[in-house]
Structures are given as structure tokens and as C-alpha cells.
Amino acid sequence: MTPWSAPRRPCRALGLVLLVVLGFLVLRRYLRLEPGSFGQEGAQRLHWPGLLTPWLRHRQSGLRTEGQNFMLEDSTFWIFGGSVHYFRVPRAYWRDRLLKMKACGLNTLTTYVPWNLHEPQRGTFDFSGNLDLEAFVRLAAEVGLWVILRPGPYICSEIDLGGLPSWLLRDSGMRLRTTYKGFTEAVDLYFDHLMARVVPLQYKHGGPIIAVQVENEYGSYNKDPAYLPYVKKALEDRGIVELLLTSDNKDGLSNGVIDGVLATINLQSQDDLQLLTMFLLSAQGVQPKMVMEYWTGWFDSWGGPHNILDSSEVLKTVSAIIHAGSSINLYMFHGGTNFGFMSGAMHFHDYKSDVTSYDYDAVLTEAGDYTAKYAKLRGLFGSMSGSPLPPPPELLPKTAYESLRPALYLSLWDALQYMESPTTSEKPINMENLPVNNGNGQSFGYTLYETAIGSPGVLRGLVRDRGQVFVNTVYLGFLDYERKEIVIPLIQGYTVLRILVENCGRVNYGHNIDDQRKGLIGNIYLNKIPLKNFKIYSLEMKKSFFQRFGSSAWNLVPEAPVFPAFFLGALPVALSPLDTFMKLEGWEKGVVFINGRNLGRYWNVGPQETLYLPGVWLDQGINQVIVFEEKAAGPVIQFTDTPHLGRNQYIH
């Protein structure tokens, strides 16, 4: 008797019933988690009646173009997207931000992938914790969002060097964003690792990624006609099979179009929309129109105004974009924070570094709160959804903790004894070429240069970006892009000249990204004679940096502290920790660390006046607060439940 004709046993029948029930439960969960979509009035609503598991139906077509429409399988599809960057949002809050996106009526998440954070040293990769790209993409699918991935390798994004790792600049002949061999070899290694993670998350493999961008705004850079085709092939050779896109602003669109890739546009004004849609038609014929970045606000620079964009203007422009038959992505939907030293800079006429907050005057605030833009856009997208939108999640509570007074203090000069041995060199070495981090140089933070001098005179040299000058421990002033020389007063005998140089952020956009080496660049001269025999300390201020300071290193805060210095205090949290904002009134310029995490820079030149402190980064009990202050400490550190982004506002 064959197995197929054997009598059915009761236990086998029961097993079959259980298998059917289990299959039903799995299918129901899959249906619930499957990213949904909705279109504009007149567009078909996308349903998946039979999909839905790999053994019932395979995904086939993916997102594609058909005339002036996007199609997803057999249905017309409108992309209503929003940008959220996982690396700018505490991981514990990812779900909150994405649920708020879904409740606003959007159907697609877009995110950049920062190469410099994922490969901090050549061949060493980090996709853990807040950098877990795969977990972020899977969470988007669970919430019900499709994903457009923008992996670079260059991303701009107001991040240091546009997301390119600084160790690339160890090569004196480096030509970034070209087919220069030193660059493409590094990209190939990075893409080998990154795409192995991305490929399984594509739509045709059962994931939520429906499109992938080829580089970012290359048309405005345009230094190598072979570069975009190289990136396109690099993606395809590694298994990227979804729709490919480019995106460019009006300055670069004419040079950013490549065969086989859909061109999209970045803009903020309706005037640009009219001009650029006409260009798209002439450049690539009848294709779906897509505004990849509609700028909902703008970023801020230290010493400048806080940029805002009126919510009524946003609603008017978004409505016009959709009425013109274009899909849209809101950049940013939620900006988040440039935690640590990740923020970039702009340098056209003047060098301007970006503030720590990436609030961007976006649809959600830096802390994830709703704005007038959110309410108006939810009304707009809700009117086109064809079904009620999910309710917006409750806001996360905020609090104002009691002010704390730092109890302990350690001057930078006393701290040097606890640091790793300095590099000794006849001539200054720029930050990127220091022999640290396994031969990858220094990426972020400060670098201290010391040498002996025996006479007064004029000190002159190239300092990038801001160098405080000391004789022994006496502060004399600083050198930067505008102040290129400083007078050293009459001194007696052996004297230590110290220059503390800060990388304030490498330029993230423009044609001068190849020239973003930091620290002392070339020789520094006293009375036109090059100084020699330097000790160079790498002060990256990573978490391990502070672990070198034992309890015996700290002293009580003196009446007249010597600067720069570290200040140590304790923040007690009795109940469950909540979000708050730190206000350093009376302090001048520096960096704050909470339980070893770098919250970012503060500076009294504004416009940013508070630092966002996520409650999920606090512990119930005692929390360690360390402030590195360059010049002047206030008596206390204050907390508020409301952010302050500057009184001077500019309508962008």
C-alpha cells in the first residue's frame, strides 16, 4: 500500500486542521502588515486579494512607469512620501514617527543611507542600534509604508561631507564622486556589504522597497560623465531590481538625466514646478512626474536666522504639485537631530556650519510633535485616501527637570595625561591623515597641536575650521576662515604654543568637497618661519574617551575655571524618563554628553538655544552629564519642556 492510499489517522487529521488554522493566522498577519497605498481621486485603489504569501502568489512587476502613470502591479499608483532618517531619530521612537506619517495619509517612506556612519573605518561596518537600516525598513513595512531607498554613496543631507567617509581624504589625489579608482574601489566594497542587506528587502523579494535612487543631485556636481552610469551598474550588478530614480534641483537637472533611470525633481516654489516639469517632458518624454524633495522648510546654520516656511504656503504648493499630476515626497516629514558631530556645512561665499537641530521646520518637530503643517496636510491627503485615515498617535510627554549645578571639573590641560599618547611629527598633520583608528585617521571632533616657541610675533596658517590659540594655558584668540593671523605677545623662555582645532562640519554640498581636510592644513608660521616638532592629540570624544577619566581625575569646580574644560554633573530622574530640552544659558560653546551619548554642539551665537534630550536615553535614577565648554561656563544647566530655535526667524 502506498503512503497516499494509507488510511487517514485521527492524529494526522488533527495535524492537518492545525496546519490550516496556523496558515490562516499567518496569512491574516501578513495582510495586516502588508504596506498599503492610496491614490488621488480617480486613481484605482491598490488591493492584494490573492497576494499574499510567497506560496500563493509571487510579486512580479513592482513599481514601473506606464505613460504618465506609476503602476504597481496592475494598478495606478501615486507616491505620497515623506522623509525620515533613521540615524537622526532615537531607535525607540522610529515606530512613533512612522505611525504619525501613516496617520498623515502618506504611503511611502524615503530615507538616506549615510556611508560615513556605517563604515567609520575602511572595511569595518556598523549596522547596529540606531544604524540598523534593515530593522527600520522592516518597521516601515509593518506600519504599512512602502520605501524609496536613497543609498548614495553621496547623500548631501546636511551631514558631514555629504555622508562620504572622511578616510577617503587620506588620499591626496582623491576625486570624490567620480570614477577615480581610489573612490570607486571604496564604493564597490561598501556596496558589496550594503546591498547584501538591501536586496532581500526589495519588493520583488517580498520587502517594502519599491524604488532606489542613483546617487543624489549629481547634475549640479557633474564632474565625470561616466560616474552616474557607474553607480547605476554598481547597483544593478549587486541585485537591485526595482525602479531606479535620480533627483536634481533646477541647477542640475539638465546634467542629471541618464538612460534607463527616471528623473525626478527637487524644489520648493511653484515657479520651479512649472519650469522643471516642462524640462522633464523634453528630457525624457512622457513619464510619471515626481517631486522627490518638496522642501517643507529649511536647515539652520550657526549665527544665522531660524528658517521657517508658512504652513498655508506649504499646503498651497503641495496641492499644486498633486494637481499638476505629480507624485511627491515631503523633505523633511520629520527632520530629527544631528546628534554627535554628524552635521555638515555650506561654503559658497562664507563658511557656515549647520546647527545640531535638524528640525527643518518640517511637518513634525525635532521632538516628533505635530505642527500646523501636519494638520493641513493630513486634511489634504485624507481627502484623497478613499478611506478614513488611522488616528494620529498621542504625543510623547515632555518635562522640565530641575536645574543641575555641575559638581566636578577637569581642565583640558589636566586631562591630557589620561589620553592616548600623542602623535609626534616634525610638521602639522591634518585630522584625516593622523595615524589613529587603525590607519583611518580622525573623522570628527577636535585636534590639539602643541609645539615650543621662544619668541613673540605673528602666527599665521590655514586652520580648518576653528582653532583656539593658547600660550601655555592662556587664551589669545582664534583662527578661522576670516581670521588668518594672530599676534603672539612677548614671552620669556620655554613656552608651549597650543592650537585646539575643531572640525565644525565638512561641506556637504558644492564643488569643493575634495578640499575638506580638517585641522592644521600645511605649515603654520611664526614670523614667516614654519614651526616644527609637534605633539598632536586626537580628541574625538567617543564614549571610550571619557572612560579614561577615573574618579580621581575630577576636582571640585573652582571659582575661576581654566578653559577649555569638562564639567561633570548628575541629573536625577525619579520616575519614568521623559523627553526634555537642555538650555545652557551663560555657557558659550561646546558639546554635551549624557550617559556617554553625544547630544551635539551648542553655541550662544544661535539660532538654536536648546538641545533635544530624548527621554529614552535617560535612566531612572542618576544620569551622568558631561559638558565640554571651550570658553565660559554658566552656573547651572537648565531644562525646559519647550524647544527654543531662535527669536530671529526667516521666511524661506
Side-chain angles (χ1 to χ4, degrees):
M1 184 179 296
T2 66
W4 299 110
S5 59
R8 183 175 297 171
R9 299 174 184 174
C11 61
R12 184 175 297 175
L14 178 60
L16 182 61
V17 171
L18 290 174
L19 182 62
V20 170
V21 171
L22 179 61
F24 171 76
L25 292 174
V26 171
L27 177 59
R28 186 175 66 173
R29 182 174 185 273
Y30 190 96
L31 281 164
R32 179 171 57 85
L33 300 184
E34 180 65 26
S37 71
F38 58 88
Q40 194 184 11
E41 294 175 288
Q44 291 182 334
R45 185 164 175 78
L46 186 62
H47 294 290
W48 299 96
L51 188 84
L52 296 157
T53 53
W55 59 88
L56 289 179
R57 172 175 171 180
H58 292 289
R59 302 183 184 195
Q60 297 174 357
S61 302
L63 186 68
R64 68 187 193 282
T65 65
E66 188 174 291
Q68 63 183 358
N69 296 320
F70 286 111
M71 304 292 293
L72 193 55
E73 296 301 335
D74 298 325
S75 298
T76 304
F77 185 75
W78 291 77
I79 299 169
F80 295 143
S83 291
V84 179
H85 301 150
Y86 56 99
F87 49 94
R88 284 184 162 121
V89 181
R91 180 170 180 163
Y93 293 160
W94 286 353
R95 181 181 295 274
D96 173 78
R97 307 316 194 241
L98 296 185
L99 286 172
K100 288 171 179 173
M101 176 183 287
K102 184 72 174 175
C104 192
L106 304 182
N107 61 12
T108 303
L109 163 73
T110 68
T111 189
Y112 283 129
V113 182
W115 181 7
N116 58 347
L117 302 185
H118 284 300
E119 193 180 0
Q121 297 181 23
R122 188 186 293 266
T124 301
F125 299 95
D126 185 1
F127 285 82
S128 63
N130 234 81
L131 295 176
D132 193 338
L133 168 64
E134 294 156 284
F136 187 63
V137 172
R138 290 192 184 102
L139 180 60
E142 184 178 332
V143 167
L145 296 165
W146 301 109
V147 175
I148 295 176
L149 195 69
R150 309 175 77 185
Y154 162 87
I155 61 173
C156 183
S157 187
E158 288 72 60
I159 191 173
D160 187 273
L161 202 59
L164 300 175
S166 63
W167 45 258
L168 290 167
L169 296 175
R170 292 175 65 84
D171 178 353
S172 61
M174 177 56 64
R175 291 186 289 122
L176 301 171
R177 304 182 73 190
T178 71
T179 52
Y180 173 69
K181 185 179 179 182
F183 184 67
T184 58
E185 286 180 344
V187 172
D188 288 342
L189 177 63
Y190 170 56
F191 271 14
D192 285 345
H193 190 94
L194 174 63
M195 296 310 155
R197 296 173 179 271
V198 168
V199 164
L201 300 173
Q202 294 179 104
Y203 174 87
K204 290 170 186 166
H205 293 281
I209 296 176
I210 56 174
V212 175
Q213 184 172 296
V214 179
E215 234 261 1
N216 189 66
E217 292 187 329
Y218 192 74
S220 59
Y221 193 70
N222 194 37
K223 288 192 174 182
D224 183 348
Y227 177 65
L228 280 184
Y230 154 74
V231 177
K232 175 178 181 284
K233 187 175 187 299
L235 293 170
E236 293 173 334
D237 287 351
R238 288 163 178 80
I240 297 301
V241 294
E242 305 303 337
L243 180 69
L244 296 178
L245 309 164
T246 59
S247 69
D248 283 283
N249 57 32
K250 65 179 181 181
D251 297 327
L253 191 57
S254 60
N255 295 313
V257 178
I258 57 173
D259 291 339
V261 178
L262 181 71
T264 68
I265 58 179
N266 302 338
L267 54 84
Q268 190 171 70
S269 77
Q270 294 183 58
D271 293 338
D272 287 345
L273 176 67
Q274 295 170 2
L275 170 67
L276 296 175
T277 51
M278 290 174 57
F279 176 84
L280 283 177
L281 183 63
S282 63
Q284 62 183 9
V286 177
Q287 293 278 8
K289 289 181 286 189
M290 170 81 183
V291 177
M292 178 58 73
E293 293 184 13
Y294 166 66
W295 301 316
T296 60
W298 203 247
F299 58 91
D300 294 340
S301 300
W302 288 116
H306 172 50
N307 291 291
I308 63 173
L309 183 63
D310 184 74
S311 60
S312 297
E313 182 66 23
V314 169
L315 178 64
K316 182 179 176 182
T317 305
V318 171
S319 299
I321 290 170
I322 296 172
H323 182 73
S326 176
S327 287
I328 187 171
N329 175 62
L330 306 175
Y331 188 99
M332 298 291 296
F333 177 78
H334 169 56
T337 308
N338 292 316
F339 293 115
F341 295 121
M342 77 166 73
S343 57
M346 302 291 279
H347 193 175
F348 292 109
H349 301 295
D350 301 311
Y351 172 85
K352 296 179 180 179
S353 57
D354 299 333
V355 302
T356 298
S357 172
Y358 201 60
D359 177 85
Y360 206 84
D361 195 40
V363 183
L364 294 180
T365 69
E366 178 182 13
D369 293 339
Y370 300 116
T371 66
K373 293 175 184 177
Y374 185 94
K376 291 177 179 178
L377 291 173
R378 174 175 155 84
L380 173 65
F381 290 118
S383 69
M384 298 183 293
S385 69
S387 61
L389 298 179
E394 294 292 325
L395 292 180
L396 298 176
K398 315 289 187 299
T399 194
Y401 293 107
E402 291 293 324
S403 298
L404 72 85
R405 183 181 297 273
L408 300 175
Y409 150 93
L410 177 64
S411 79
L412 174 62
W413 317 122
D414 291 335
L416 294 179
Q417 62 186 303
Y418 302 105
M419 298 179 188
E420 292 181 354
S421 298
T423 298
T424 57
S425 174
E426 182 180 3
K427 297 180 179 180
I429 303 174
N430 60 284
M431 180 183 287
E432 295 78 8
N433 285 97
L434 287 172
V436 297
N437 294 320
N438 300 313
N440 288 274
Q442 180 182 343
S443 295
F444 305 115
Y446 298 77
T447 307
L448 176 65
Y449 298 83
E450 288 187 351
T451 189
I453 59 173
S455 64
V458 176
L459 185 73
R460 184 178 180 87
L462 286 182
V463 177
R464 298 291 180 265
D465 296 301
R466 191 172 188 270
Q468 299 178 76
V469 180
F470 302 83
V471 170
N472 295 327
T473 61
V474 178
Y475 175 72
L476 299 182
F478 64 91
L479 299 171
D480 62 6
Y481 292 87
E482 301 298 323
R483 301 167 183 84
K484 297 180 180 178
E485 62 181 41
I486 192 169
V487 175
I488 305 297
L490 181 65
I491 52 179
Q492 304 246 341
Y494 177 86
T495 302
V496 178
L497 174 72
R498 289 165 162 155
I499 306 174
L500 179 64
V501 184
E502 180 190 7
N503 165 15
C504 297
R506 296 181 182 86
V507 164
N508 54 263
Y509 181 86
H511 286 89
N512 57 343
I513 59 172
D514 289 341
D515 303 319
Q516 293 305 303
R517 294 167 184 86
K518 302 299 184 180
L520 294 184
I521 311 301
N523 285 316
I524 189 157
Y525 300 87
L526 182 60
N527 298 327
K528 300 183 180 180
I529 299 173
L531 296 175
K532 296 183 178 181
N533 300 321
F534 286 85
K535 287 183 180 179
I536 308 173
Y537 293 86
S538 175
L539 310 178
E540 293 184 276
M541 300 191 188
K542 298 176 181 177
K543 198 167 186 177
S544 59
F545 178 87
F546 297 102
Q547 294 171 351
R548 302 191 187 101
F549 303 161
S551 58
S552 61
W554 297 91
N555 300 296
L556 295 176
V557 178
E559 288 189 14
V562 175
F563 292 96
F566 301 93
F567 294 81
L568 174 62
L571 173 63
V573 176
L575 304 175
S576 296
L578 300 177
D579 285 6
T580 189
F581 300 88
M582 300 183 70
K583 187 173 177 64
L584 290 110
E585 193 169 328
W587 303 71
E588 184 164 314
K589 185 178 186 298
V591 191
V592 176
F593 303 85
I594 302 290
N595 297 330
R597 290 182 182 268
N598 188 335
L599 288 191
R601 302 176 175 93
Y602 64 89
W603 195 358
N604 65 357
V605 299
Q608 181 175 351
E609 298 175 3
T610 55
L611 284 176
Y612 174 50
L613 172 51
V616 292
W617 288 357
L618 292 171
D619 299 323
Q620 189 171 357
I622 299 299
N623 294 269
Q624 182 195 71
V625 180
I626 295 179
V627 178
F628 175 66
E629 167 60 47
E630 297 180 12
K631 194 173 179 184
V636 297
I637 299 169
Q638 300 170 288
F639 298 88
T640 175
D641 57 6
T642 306
H644 297 277
L645 294 171
R647 291 177 293 276
N648 298 322
Q649 296 185 333
Y650 173 70
I651 304 295
H652 186 73

